Amino acid sequence: MLRLSSAVCFAILAALVKLASAGGIPFIQPMFFRSFFATLLIAGYIAVLRDPGLLKTQRPNAHLFRSAIGGTGMLFVFMGIVALPLDQATAIGFSAPLIATLLSAVFLKEKVGRHRWLATMIGFLGVLIIIHPDPGTMISQGAIYALVGVCFISATAVTIRQIAATESGVTIAFYFMALSSVALAVALPFFWTTPTSWQWLLLAGIGIAGGLVQLTSTVALRYAPVSTLVPFDYTQLLWAALVAFILWGDVPGEDTLAGAAIVIASGLYIVHRERKLKLPHPPISRITDGG
């Protein structure tokens, strides 16, 4: 239920980001409110647990690096959400496990067998179907934003694998949100646009939805392993399509649905193989960083 709630909240968050951007609000403002509210909610959760030890860290530099690449990923994910139909941006995000598999092989020297390599290659064919570049034309700018964002989020997953050896999921999430809030607060005055009353409500909604995404997805890890939870993340496409239809009358195209089915099947097979081989599956759902 926590992971499903997180998927629903992400669809709402993405829709609110599109609405805010359509009203001329710079990306920095939604990013700040998303990070700030998440920090408050996670800090409140730590207070409820009465476990201040969760704020202790042995890897401050690793948290800084993780926050830098995670924050960059969040920016590009938001840009992709704004530039693309909501269902298409969501479907492209499902390629994160595929890219993380490649990065784990390169940077963590993890042995990737032929089964996972084959699943990864098939998954990338699904991504090509989603973005459906026409012969002789370039990939759309929005698709490039989304793919760059996924690459950064996947790199974040590799970093999390290393940090998780000494830090809990709650600790990792708290420092990412807190450090992102500080960095965005410094940049905020240079990009500030005074919101209207309606836009203030949108920004508040972004903050609350973003905070709930981070909290519910993180707390879910206390009750079940990532390999069990990942399949529920793919319901994001259903919620994103529903929200897009309600707000804009958008209906997912055949290319998006077909490509998403291939990417999802590939991602689930990778999870299955890692679980069968008893490998630590990276907690790389797009939910984690909001992209």
Side-chain angles (χ1 to χ4, degrees):
M1 291 304 298
L2 285 167
R3 204 71 174 194
L4 282 172
S5 298
S6 188
V8 174
C9 288
F10 184 84
I12 295 172
L13 166 66
L16 294 177
V17 168
K18 285 181 75 72
L19 290 172
S21 179
I25 297 295
F27 287 109
I28 295 297
Q29 288 175 245
M31 289 176 64
F32 170 77
F33 280 90
R34 179 252 193 273
S35 300
F36 181 69
F37 274 79
T39 303
L40 295 180
L41 285 173
I42 296 173
Y45 177 68
I46 293 173
V48 170
L49 292 179
R50 297 182 180 179
D51 187 2
L54 289 172
L55 296 177
K56 296 180 181 179
T57 176
Q58 302 178 39
R59 310 283 297 278
N61 291 334
H63 284 294
L64 283 170
F65 179 71
R66 176 261 193 278
S67 298
I69 58 176
T72 304
M74 189 197 312
L75 173 61
F76 278 99
V77 166
F78 277 17
M79 292 169 67
I81 286 171
V82 169
L84 294 172
L86 200 54
D87 56 281
Q88 190 176 14
T90 301
I92 291 174
F94 291 153
S95 63
L98 312 177
I99 298 173
T101 299
L102 297 176
L103 295 179
S104 295
V106 174
F107 294 103
L108 299 184
K109 307 302 179 184
E110 181 181 294
K111 184 179 179 180
V112 178
R114 64 179 184 275
H115 291 275
R116 284 190 289 161
W117 278 127
L118 180 60
T120 300
M121 288 187 289
I122 292 174
F124 282 127
L125 289 177
V127 174
L128 288 176
I129 293 174
I130 294 170
I131 60 179
H132 54 78
D134 297 322
T137 63
M138 298 292 289
I139 297 175
S140 72
Q141 192 173 46
I144 292 174
Y145 291 151
L147 288 170
V148 171
V150 170
C151 288
F152 275 99
I153 298 304
S154 301
T156 299
V158 175
T159 305
I160 289 175
R161 274 196 173 184
Q162 298 172 308
I163 300 176
T166 59
E167 315 283 294
S168 73
V170 174
T171 304
I172 294 171
F174 173 79
Y175 279 104
F176 170 51
M177 292 292 100
L179 291 170
S180 296
S181 297
V182 172
L184 290 166
V186 172
L188 198 59
F190 299 98
F191 297 92
W192 181 260
T193 296
T194 302
T196 63
S197 299
W198 164 243
Q199 289 171 335
W200 273 118
L201 289 176
L202 288 177
L203 291 173
I206 288 170
I208 295 171
L212 289 174
V213 166
Q214 194 71 41
L215 183 63
T216 52
S217 62
T218 301
V219 176
L221 294 171
R222 295 176 60 89
Y223 300 100
V226 175
S227 58
T228 300
L229 297 173
V230 164
F232 293 100
D233 293 343
Y234 291 117
T235 65
Q236 290 172 17
L237 184 59
L238 171 64
W239 308 121
L242 179 60
V243 170
F245 178 75
I246 292 173
L247 292 179
W248 298 287
D250 292 345
V251 177
E254 294 179 358
D255 290 343
T256 299
L257 293 176
I262 295 172
V263 173
I264 290 172
S266 300
L268 290 176
Y269 186 74
I270 289 173
V271 173
H272 166 72
R273 288 296 300 179
E274 292 190 343
R275 188 174 186 178
K276 185 176 181 179
L277 298 172
K278 297 182 179 180
L279 296 174
H281 187 273
I284 52 159
S285 150
R286 281 171 45 265
I287 284 180
T288 302
D289 285 337

